[in-house]
Each structure stands twice: as C-alpha cells, then as structure tokens.
Amino acid sequence: MSDTNSDVAELGYERARDELVNVVKMLEQGGLDLDDSLALWERGEALAKRCEEHLAGARQRVENTLAHAEDPDDEYDEDD
C-alpha cells in the first residue's frame, strides 16, 4: 500500500466499502488521465483489501461464537 493510501488502514468496513463503490464508479466513467486512473485503481485495491480484512474478522468472530455455543463443556455453571 502506498503512502497516499495509508489512511485506508484506519477505515471501518462501511466507510471503506462506500469509498470503494465511488472509486469503481469514477473508474467506470473514465475521462481520467493514466496517472490519475492508476492512483485511483491503487486506492481501490487498498480499500478492497481493507473490506476483506473486516469481513474475515467478522467471519472469525461468528465461527468462534458458534463453536463456543456448540461446546457443551463451555456452558456456565448456574451456581456461579
């Protein structure tokens, strides 16, 4: 990730996704010079990676919760 995209690491999922949608729209519209198009594409790649990181984390949390819920040995003792 380039220095100009270093802020992407701080974005939440929804903000990264919304910005990625806008990047795709801008690239689809065309009309940008090559350097601007490449910079925008690089930002889009960084945003897509950030979204994937958020989704992977959410998936892991769900899997951990389901595994914990299915493990009868992890049930709390009602006397606690």
Side-chain angles (χ1 to χ4, degrees):
M1 181 167 26
S2 69
D3 291 339
T4 58
N5 294 322
S6 60
D7 64 316
V8 171
E10 304 301 318
L11 297 178
Y13 173 76
E14 288 79 8
R15 185 153 176 219
R17 181 203 58 216
D18 291 347
E19 188 176 338
L20 178 57
V21 167
N22 288 331
V23 165
V24 170
K25 286 179 185 178
M26 291 173 65
L27 288 171
E28 287 177 341
Q29 288 174 356
L32 300 170
D33 66 28
L34 181 59
D35 288 334
D36 290 341
S37 292
L38 285 173
L40 201 55
W41 177 79
E42 288 172 343
R43 180 138 184 105
E45 286 292 318
L47 290 164
K49 181 179 177 187
R50 185 65 181 141
C51 288
E52 289 173 0
E53 291 169 351
H54 277 292
L55 292 173
R59 183 180 309 113
Q60 187 63 49
R61 286 177 62 189
V62 169
E63 289 173 358
N64 290 346
T65 300
L66 290 175
H68 181 73
E70 293 173 356
D71 188 353
D73 294 334
D74 284 344
E75 289 184 28
Y76 68 92
D77 185 359
E78 290 182 20
D79 293 335
D80 286 343

